[in-house]
Amino acid sequence: MKMSDSRIIKAPQEVVWAAILDPEVLKACVPGCTEMSGSAEEGFEATVVQKVGPVKATFKGQVSLSNMDAPNAVTLSGEGKGGAAGFAKGGADVALAPAEGGTELTYAVEANVGGKLAQLGSRIIDGFAKKMADQFFDNFQQAVEGPSDPDAAPETDAPDQDGKKKGWFKRMVS
């Protein structure tokens, strides 16, 4: 299964790059992620709990980063084993470029599954994979930018110099 998309993130390219390499940001953005540890240099280990159709599984796996061209591009590759449910492996090529209003993030994802998961059929798996990718990048965009509705932001959010509330990751790097 392959898919690609792009989106504009309202933050400088260096901030978006730093967020991609931060295990806490990744943990918050990966749907179902219960644990994330490691570093961009050595790779990450993650535990993700997901339900795909009738199959619920806990995946334990590794993610490595390669082809790093800071702050322009990186390839993320990972593999997770879900016990009797099977396995999932894949990767994403992520490119960042300056754009009007922030940074354009473009991604191309390729994923494969095996075991019981593969028996669910490509329609269910492809739909699930697209939903996961969309959720991850929506979560990532919110983590970097902050909520789209500034009034929905928690009261503890400190406004930036323009009086707008920041995303939690932007507050960390400010």
Side-chain angles (χ1 to χ4, degrees), residues 67-128:
N67 304 325
M68 290 179 68
D69 174 20
N72 303 308
V74 64
T75 298
L76 298 108
S77 304
E79 183 171 347
K81 292 181 173 54
F87 69 88
K89 64 180 176 178
D93 290 318
V94 178
L96 304 176
E100 189 173 322
T103 301
E104 181 178 27
L105 182 148
T106 304
Y107 61 91
V109 176
E110 185 169 356
N112 297 302
V113 296
K116 281 187 181 176
L117 289 174
Q119 296 171 2
L120 294 174
S122 64
R123 231 177 61 213
I124 291 174
I125 296 297
D126 289 356
F128 174 78

CSV table of all heavy atoms in Angstrom, one decimal, residues 67-128:
chain,number,residue,atom,x,y,z
A,67,ASN,N,18.8,8.9,5.6
A,67,ASN,CA,18.8,9.9,4.5
A,67,ASN,C,18.5,11.3,5.1
A,67,ASN,O,17.8,12.0,4.5
A,67,ASN,CB,17.8,9.5,3.4
A,67,ASN,CG,18.1,8.2,2.8
A,67,ASN,OD1,19.2,7.8,2.6
A,67,ASN,ND2,17.0,7.5,2.4
A,68,MET,N,19.1,11.5,6.3
A,68,MET,CA,18.8,12.8,6.9
A,68,MET,C,19.5,13.9,6.2
A,68,MET,O,20.7,13.9,6.1
A,68,MET,CB,19.2,12.8,8.4
A,68,MET,CG,18.3,11.8,9.2
A,68,MET,SD,18.7,11.7,11.0
A,68,MET,CE,18.4,13.3,11.5
A,69,ASP,N,18.8,14.9,5.8
A,69,ASP,CA,19.3,16.2,5.2
A,69,ASP,C,18.6,17.3,5.9
A,69,ASP,O,17.7,17.9,5.5
A,69,ASP,CB,18.9,16.2,3.7
A,69,ASP,CG,19.3,17.5,3.0
A,69,ASP,OD1,20.1,18.2,3.5
A,69,ASP,OD2,18.7,17.7,1.9
A,70,ALA,N,19.2,17.6,7.1
A,70,ALA,CA,18.6,18.6,8.0
A,70,ALA,C,18.6,20.0,7.3
A,70,ALA,O,19.6,20.4,6.7
A,70,ALA,CB,19.4,18.7,9.3
A,71,PRO,N,17.6,20.8,7.4
A,71,PRO,CA,16.2,20.5,7.9
A,71,PRO,C,15.3,20.2,6.7
A,71,PRO,O,14.1,20.7,6.8
A,71,PRO,CB,15.9,21.8,8.6
A,71,PRO,CG,16.5,22.9,7.8
A,71,PRO,CD,17.8,22.2,7.3
A,72,ASN,N,15.7,19.5,5.7
A,72,ASN,CA,14.9,19.4,4.5
A,72,ASN,C,14.2,18.1,4.3
A,72,ASN,O,13.1,18.0,3.8
A,72,ASN,CB,15.9,19.6,3.3
A,72,ASN,CG,16.5,21.0,3.4
A,72,ASN,OD1,15.9,22.0,3.5
A,72,ASN,ND2,17.8,21.0,3.3
A,73,ALA,N,14.9,16.9,4.7
A,73,ALA,CA,14.3,15.6,4.4
A,73,ALA,C,14.8,14.5,5.3
A,73,ALA,O,15.9,14.7,5.8
A,73,ALA,CB,14.6,15.3,2.9
A,74,VAL,N,14.0,13.5,5.5
A,74,VAL,CA,14.4,12.4,6.3
A,74,VAL,C,13.5,11.2,5.8
A,74,VAL,O,12.4,11.4,5.4
A,74,VAL,CB,14.2,12.6,7.8
A,74,VAL,CG1,12.7,12.8,8.2
A,74,VAL,CG2,14.8,11.5,8.6
A,75,THR,N,14.1,10.0,6.0
A,75,THR,CA,13.3,8.8,5.7
A,75,THR,C,13.1,8.0,7.0
A,75,THR,O,14.1,7.8,7.8
A,75,THR,CB,14.1,7.8,4.7
A,75,THR,OG1,14.2,8.5,3.5
A,75,THR,CG2,13.3,6.5,4.5
A,76,LEU,N,11.9,7.7,7.4
A,76,LEU,CA,11.6,6.9,8.6
A,76,LEU,C,11.2,5.5,8.1
A,76,LEU,O,10.4,5.4,7.3
A,76,LEU,CB,10.4,7.6,9.3
A,76,LEU,CG,10.6,9.0,9.8
A,76,LEU,CD1,9.8,10.0,9.0
A,76,LEU,CD2,10.3,9.1,11.3
A,77,SER,N,11.9,4.5,8.7
A,77,SER,CA,11.6,3.1,8.4
A,77,SER,C,11.3,2.4,9.7
A,77,SER,O,12.0,2.6,10.7
A,77,SER,CB,12.8,2.5,7.7
A,77,SER,OG,13.2,3.2,6.6
A,78,GLY,N,10.3,1.6,9.7
A,78,GLY,CA,9.9,0.9,10.9
A,78,GLY,C,9.3,-0.5,10.6
A,78,GLY,O,8.9,-0.8,9.5
A,79,GLU,N,9.4,-1.3,11.7
A,79,GLU,CA,8.8,-2.6,11.7
A,79,GLU,C,8.2,-2.9,13.1
A,79,GLU,O,8.9,-2.6,14.1
A,79,GLU,CB,9.8,-3.7,11.3
A,79,GLU,CG,9.2,-5.0,11.2
A,79,GLU,CD,10.2,-6.1,10.5
A,79,GLU,OE1,11.2,-5.6,10.0
A,79,GLU,OE2,9.8,-7.2,10.6
A,80,GLY,N,7.0,-3.4,13.1
A,80,GLY,CA,6.4,-3.8,14.4
A,80,GLY,C,5.8,-5.2,14.4
A,80,GLY,O,5.3,-5.6,13.3
A,81,LYS,N,6.0,-5.9,15.5
A,81,LYS,CA,5.4,-7.2,15.6
A,81,LYS,C,4.3,-7.2,16.5
A,81,LYS,O,4.4,-6.6,17.6
A,81,LYS,CB,6.5,-8.2,16.0
A,81,LYS,CG,7.6,-8.4,15.0
A,81,LYS,CD,8.6,-9.4,15.5
A,81,LYS,CE,9.7,-9.8,14.5
A,81,LYS,NZ,10.4,-8.7,13.8
A,82,GLY,N,3.1,-7.8,16.1
A,82,GLY,CA,1.9,-7.8,16.9
A,82,GLY,C,1.6,-9.2,17.4
A,82,GLY,O,0.4,-9.5,17.5
A,83,GLY,N,2.5,-10.0,17.7
A,83,GLY,CA,2.2,-11.4,18.1
A,83,GLY,C,1.4,-12.1,17.1
A,83,GLY,O,1.7,-12.1,15.9
A,84,ALA,N,0.3,-12.8,17.6
A,84,ALA,CA,-0.5,-13.6,16.7
A,84,ALA,C,-1.2,-12.8,15.6
A,84,ALA,O,-1.6,-13.3,14.6
A,84,ALA,CB,-1.5,-14.4,17.5
A,85,ALA,N,-1.3,-11.5,15.8
A,85,ALA,CA,-2.0,-10.6,14.9
A,85,ALA,C,-1.2,-10.5,13.6
A,85,ALA,O,-1.7,-10.2,12.5
A,85,ALA,CB,-2.3,-9.3,15.5
A,86,GLY,N,0.2,-10.6,13.7
A,86,GLY,CA,1.0,-10.5,12.6
A,86,GLY,C,2.0,-9.4,12.7
A,86,GLY,O,2.4,-9.0,13.8
A,87,PHE,N,2.4,-8.8,11.6
A,87,PHE,CA,3.4,-7.7,11.7
A,87,PHE,C,3.0,-6.6,10.7
A,87,PHE,O,2.2,-6.8,9.8
A,87,PHE,CB,4.8,-8.3,11.3
A,87,PHE,CG,4.9,-8.7,9.8
A,87,PHE,CD1,5.3,-7.7,8.9
A,87,PHE,CD2,4.6,-9.9,9.4
A,87,PHE,CE1,5.3,-8.1,7.5
A,87,PHE,CE2,4.7,-10.3,8.1
A,87,PHE,CZ,5.0,-9.4,7.1
A,88,ALA,N,3.6,-5.5,10.9
A,88,ALA,CA,3.5,-4.3,10.0
A,88,ALA,C,4.9,-3.7,9.8
A,88,ALA,O,5.7,-3.7,10.7
A,88,ALA,CB,2.5,-3.3,10.6
A,89,LYS,N,5.2,-3.4,8.6
A,89,LYS,CA,6.4,-2.7,8.3
A,89,LYS,C,6.2,-1.7,7.2
A,89,LYS,O,5.3,-1.9,6.4
A,89,LYS,CB,7.6,-3.7,8.0
A,89,LYS,CG,7.4,-4.5,6.8
A,89,LYS,CD,8.6,-5.4,6.6
A,89,LYS,CE,8.5,-6.3,5.4
A,89,LYS,NZ,9.6,-7.2,5.3
A,90,GLY,N,7.1,-0.7,7.2
A,90,GLY,CA,6.9,0.3,6.2
A,90,GLY,C,7.9,1.5,6.4
A,90,GLY,O,8.7,1.4,7.3
A,91,GLY,N,7.6,2.5,5.6
A,91,GLY,CA,8.5,3.7,5.8
A,91,GLY,C,7.8,4.9,5.2
A,91,GLY,O,6.8,4.8,4.5
A,92,ALA,N,8.4,6.0,5.5
A,92,ALA,CA,7.9,7.3,5.0
A,92,ALA,C,9.0,8.2,4.6
A,92,ALA,O,10.0,8.4,5.4
A,92,ALA,CB,7.0,8.0,6.0
A,93,ASP,N,9.0,8.7,3.4
A,93,ASP,CA,9.9,9.8,3.0
A,93,ASP,C,9.2,11.1,3.3
A,93,ASP,O,8.1,11.4,2.8
A,93,ASP,CB,10.2,9.7,1.5
A,93,ASP,CG,11.1,8.4,1.2
A,93,ASP,OD1,12.0,8.1,2.0
A,93,ASP,OD2,10.8,7.8,0.2
A,94,VAL,N,9.9,11.9,4.1
A,94,VAL,CA,9.3,13.2,4.5
A,94,VAL,C,10.2,14.3,4.0
A,94,VAL,O,11.4,14.3,4.2
A,94,VAL,CB,9.2,13.3,6.1
A,94,VAL,CG1,8.6,14.7,6.5
A,94,VAL,CG2,8.3,12.2,6.6
A,95,ALA,N,9.6,15.3,3.4
A,95,ALA,CA,10.4,16.4,2.8
A,95,ALA,C,9.8,17.7,3.4
A,95,ALA,O,8.5,17.8,3.5
A,95,ALA,CB,10.3,16.4,1.3
A,96,LEU,N,10.6,18.6,3.8
A,96,LEU,CA,10.2,19.9,4.3
A,96,LEU,C,10.7,21.0,3.3
A,96,LEU,O,11.9,20.9,2.9
A,96,LEU,CB,10.7,20.2,5.7
A,96,LEU,CG,10.4,19.1,6.7
A,96,LEU,CD1,11.1,19.5,8.0
A,96,LEU,CD2,8.9,19.1,6.9
A,97,ALA,N,9.9,22.0,3.1
A,97,ALA,CA,10.3,23.1,2.2
A,97,ALA,C,9.6,24.4,2.7
A,97,ALA,O,8.5,24.4,3.2
A,97,ALA,CB,9.9,22.9,0.8
A,98,PRO,N,10.3,25.5,2.6
A,98,PRO,CA,9.7,26.8,3.0
A,98,PRO,C,8.5,27.0,2.1
A,98,PRO,O,8.5,26.7,0.9
A,98,PRO,CB,10.8,27.8,2.8
A,98,PRO,CG,12.0,27.1,2.6
A,98,PRO,CD,11.7,25.7,2.2
A,99,ALA,N,7.4,27.6,2.7
A,99,ALA,CA,6.2,27.9,2.0
A,99,ALA,C,5.6,29.1,2.6
A,99,ALA,O,5.9,29.5,3.7
A,99,ALA,CB,5.2,26.7,2.1
A,100,GLU,N,4.8,29.8,1.8
A,100,GLU,CA,4.1,31.0,2.3
A,100,GLU,C,3.3,30.6,3.5
A,100,GLU,O,2.5,29.7,3.5
A,100,GLU,CB,3.2,31.6,1.2
A,100,GLU,CG,2.6,32.9,1.6
A,100,GLU,CD,1.9,33.6,0.5
A,100,GLU,OE1,2.4,33.5,-0.7
A,100,GLU,OE2,0.9,34.2,0.7
A,101,GLY,N,3.5,31.2,4.6
A,101,GLY,CA,2.8,31.0,5.8
A,101,GLY,C,3.4,29.9,6.7
A,101,GLY,O,2.8,29.5,7.7
A,102,GLY,N,4.5,29.3,6.3
A,102,GLY,CA,5.1,28.3,7.2
A,102,GLY,C,6.0,27.3,6.4
A,102,GLY,O,6.9,27.7,5.6
A,103,THR,N,5.7,26.0,6.6
A,103,THR,CA,6.6,25.0,6.0
A,103,THR,C,5.7,24.0,5.3
A,103,THR,O,4.7,23.5,5.9
A,103,THR,CB,7.4,24.3,7.1
A,103,THR,OG1,8.2,25.2,7.8
A,103,THR,CG2,8.3,23.2,6.5
A,104,GLU,N,6.0,23.6,4.1
A,104,GLU,CA,5.3,22.6,3.4
A,104,GLU,C,5.9,21.2,3.8
A,104,GLU,O,7.1,21.0,3.6
A,104,GLU,CB,5.3,22.7,1.9
A,104,GLU,CG,4.5,21.6,1.2
A,104,GLU,CD,4.4,21.8,-0.3
A,104,GLU,OE1,5.3,22.4,-0.9
A,104,GLU,OE2,3.4,21.3,-0.8
A,105,LEU,N,5.1,20.3,4.4
A,105,LEU,CA,5.5,19.0,4.7
A,105,LEU,C,4.9,18.0,3.7
A,105,LEU,O,3.7,18.0,3.5
A,105,LEU,CB,5.1,18.6,6.1
A,105,LEU,CG,5.5,17.2,6.6
A,105,LEU,CD1,5.7,17.3,8.1
A,105,LEU,CD2,4.5,16.2,6.3
A,106,THR,N,5.7,17.3,2.9
A,106,THR,CA,5.3,16.4,1.9
A,106,THR,C,5.7,15.0,2.4
A,106,THR,O,6.8,14.8,2.9
A,106,THR,CB,5.9,16.7,0.6
A,106,THR,OG1,5.6,18.0,0.2
A,106,THR,CG2,5.3,15.7,-0.5
A,107,TYR,N,4.8,14.0,2.3
A,107,TYR,CA,5.2,12.6,2.7
A,107,TYR,C,4.7,11.6,1.7
A,107,TYR,O,3.7,11.8,1.0
A,107,TYR,CB,4.7,12.3,4.1
A,107,TYR,CG,3.2,12.3,4.3
A,107,TYR,CD1,2.5,11.2,4.1
A,107,TYR,CD2,2.5,13.5,4.6
A,107,TYR,CE1,1.1,11.2,4.2
A,107,TYR,CE2,1.2,13.5,4.8
A,107,TYR,CZ,0.4,12.3,4.6
A,107,TYR,OH,-0.9,12.3,4.8
A,108,ALA,N,5.5,10.6,1.5
A,108,ALA,CA,5.2,9.4,0.7
A,108,ALA,C,5.4,8.2,1.6
A,108,ALA,O,6.4,8.0,2.2
A,108,ALA,CB,6.0,9.3,-0.5
A,109,VAL,N,4.3,7.4,1.9
A,109,VAL,CA,4.3,6.3,2.8
A,109,VAL,C,4.1,5.0,2.0
A,109,VAL,O,3.3,4.9,1.1
A,109,VAL,CB,3.1,6.5,3.8
A,109,VAL,CG1,3.0,5.3,4.7
A,109,VAL,CG2,3.3,7.7,4.6
A,110,GLU,N,4.8,4.0,2.4
A,110,GLU,CA,4.6,2.6,1.9
A,110,GLU,C,4.5,1.7,3.1
A,110,GLU,O,5.4,1.8,4.0
A,110,GLU,CB,5.8,2.2,1.0
A,110,GLU,CG,5.6,0.9,0.4
A,110,GLU,CD,6.6,0.6,-0.7
A,110,GLU,OE1,7.4,1.4,-1.0
A,110,GLU,OE2,6.5,-0.5,-1.3
A,111,ALA,N,3.5,0.8,3.1
A,111,ALA,CA,3.3,0.0,4.3
A,111,ALA,C,2.9,-1.4,3.8
A,111,ALA,O,2.3,-1.6,2.8
A,111,ALA,CB,2.2,0.5,5.2
A,112,ASN,N,3.3,-2.4,4.6
A,112,ASN,CA,3.0,-3.8,4.3
A,112,ASN,C,2.6,-4.5,5.6
A,112,ASN,O,3.2,-4.2,6.7
A,112,ASN,CB,4.2,-4.6,3.7
A,112,ASN,CG,4.6,-4.0,2.4
A,112,ASN,OD1,3.8,-4.0,1.5
A,112,ASN,ND2,5.9,-3.6,2.3
A,113,VAL,N,1.7,-5.4,5.5
A,113,VAL,CA,1.3,-6.2,6.7
A,113,VAL,C,1.3,-7.7,6.4
A,113,VAL,O,1.2,-8.1,5.2
A,113,VAL,CB,-0.1,-5.8,7.3
A,113,VAL,CG1,-0.1,-4.4,7.7
A,113,VAL,CG2,-1.2,-6.0,6.2
A,114,GLY,N,1.4,-8.5,7.4
A,114,GLY,CA,1.4,-10.0,7.3
A,114,GLY,C,0.7,-10.6,8.5
A,114,GLY,O,0.4,-9.9,9.4
A,115,GLY,N,0.4,-11.9,8.4
A,115,GLY,CA,-0.2,-12.6,9.5
A,115,GLY,C,-1.7,-12.4,9.4
A,115,GLY,O,-2.3,-12.2,8.3
A,116,LYS,N,-2.4,-12.4,10.5
A,116,LYS,CA,-3.9,-12.3,10.6
A,116,LYS,C,-4.3,-11.0,10.0
A,116,LYS,O,-5.4,-10.9,9.4
A,116,LYS,CB,-4.4,-12.4,12.0
A,116,LYS,CG,-4.5,-13.8,12.6
A,116,LYS,CD,-5.1,-13.8,13.9
A,116,LYS,CE,-5.2,-15.2,14.5
A,116,LYS,NZ,-5.8,-15.2,15.8
A,117,LEU,N,-3.5,-9.9,10.2
A,117,LEU,CA,-3.9,-8.6,9.6
A,117,LEU,C,-4.0,-8.7,8.1
A,117,LEU,O,-4.9,-8.1,7.5
A,117,LEU,CB,-2.8,-7.6,10.0
A,117,LEU,CG,-2.8,-7.1,11.4
A,117,LEU,CD1,-1.6,-6.2,11.7
A,117,LEU,CD2,-4.1,-6.5,11.8
A,118,ALA,N,-3.1,-9.4,7.4
A,118,ALA,CA,-3.2,-9.5,6.0
A,118,ALA,C,-4.4,-10.2,5.5
A,118,ALA,O,-4.9,-9.9,4.4
A,118,ALA,CB,-1.9,-10.2,5.4
A,119,GLN,N,-5.0,-11.1,6.3
A,119,GLN,CA,-6.2,-11.8,6.0
A,119,GLN,C,-7.5,-10.9,6.0
A,119,GLN,O,-8.5,-11.3,5.5
A,119,GLN,CB,-6.4,-13.0,6.9
A,119,GLN,CG,-5.3,-14.0,6.8
A,119,GLN,CD,-5.4,-15.1,7.9
A,119,GLN,OE1,-6.3,-15.1,8.7
A,119,GLN,NE2,-4.4,-16.0,7.9
A,120,LEU,N,-7.4,-9.7,6.5
A,120,LEU,CA,-8.5,-8.8,6.6
A,120,LEU,C,-8.8,-8.3,5.2
A,120,LEU,O,-10.0,-7.8,5.0
A,120,LEU,CB,-8.3,-7.7,7.6
A,120,LEU,CG,-8.1,-8.0,9.0
A,120,LEU,CD1,-7.8,-6.8,9.8
A,120,LEU,CD2,-9.4,-8.6,9.5
A,121,GLY,N,-7.9,-8.3,4.3
A,121,GLY,CA,-8.1,-7.8,3.0
A,121,GLY,C,-7.6,-6.4,2.8
A,121,GLY,O,-7.5,-5.6,3.7
A,122,SER,N,-7.2,-6.1,1.6
A,122,SER,CA,-6.6,-4.8,1.3
A,122,SER,C,-7.5,-3.6,1.5
A,122,SER,O,-7.0,-2.5,1.9
A,122,SER,CB,-6.0,-4.8,-0.2
A,122,SER,OG,-7.0,-4.9,-1.1
A,123,ARG,N,-8.8,-3.8,1.3
A,123,ARG,CA,-9.7,-2.6,1.5
A,123,ARG,C,-9.6,-2.1,2.9
A,123,ARG,O,-9.5,-0.9,3.2
A,123,ARG,CB,-11.1,-3.0,1.0
A,123,ARG,CG,-11.6,-2.0,0.1
A,123,ARG,CD,-13.0,-2.3,-0.4
A,123,ARG,NE,-14.0,-2.4,0.7
A,123,ARG,CZ,-15.0,-3.2,0.7
A,123,ARG,NH1,-15.2,-4.0,-0.3
A,123,ARG,NH2,-15.8,-3.2,1.7
A,124,ILE,N,-9.7,-3.1,3.9
A,124,ILE,CA,-9.7,-2.7,5.3
A,124,ILE,C,-8.4,-2.2,5.7
A,124,ILE,O,-8.2,-1.1,6.3
A,124,ILE,CB,-10.1,-3.9,6.2
A,124,ILE,CG1,-11.6,-4.2,6.0
A,124,ILE,CG2,-9.8,-3.6,7.6
A,124,ILE,CD1,-12.1,-5.5,6.6
A,125,ILE,N,-7.3,-2.8,5.2
A,125,ILE,CA,-5.9,-2.4,5.6
A,125,ILE,C,-5.6,-1.1,5.0
A,125,ILE,O,-5.1,-0.2,5.7
A,125,ILE,CB,-4.9,-3.5,5.2
A,125,ILE,CG1,-5.1,-4.8,5.9
A,125,ILE,CG2,-3.5,-3.0,5.3
A,125,ILE,CD1,-5.0,-4.7,7.4
A,126,ASP,N,-5.9,-0.9,3.7
A,126,ASP,CA,-5.6,0.4,3.1
A,126,ASP,C,-6.3,1.6,3.8
A,126,ASP,O,-5.8,2.6,4.0
A,126,ASP,CB,-5.9,0.4,1.6
A,126,ASP,CG,-4.9,-0.5,0.8
A,126,ASP,OD1,-4.0,-1.0,1.4
A,126,ASP,OD2,-5.2,-0.7,-0.4
A,127,GLY,N,-7.6,1.3,4.1
A,127,GLY,CA,-8.4,2.4,4.7
A,127,GLY,C,-7.9,2.7,6.1
A,127,GLY,O,-7.8,3.8,6.5
A,128,PHE,N,-7.5,1.6,6.8
A,128,PHE,CA,-6.9,1.8,8.2
A,128,PHE,C,-5.6,2.6,8.1
A,128,PHE,O,-5.3,3.5,8.8
A,128,PHE,CB,-6.7,0.5,8.9
A,128,PHE,CG,-5.9,0.6,10.2
A,128,PHE,CD1,-6.6,1.0,11.3
A,128,PHE,CD2,-4.6,0.3,10.3
A,128,PHE,CE1,-5.9,1.1,12.5
A,128,PHE,CE2,-3.9,0.4,11.5
A,128,PHE,CZ,-4.6,0.8,12.6
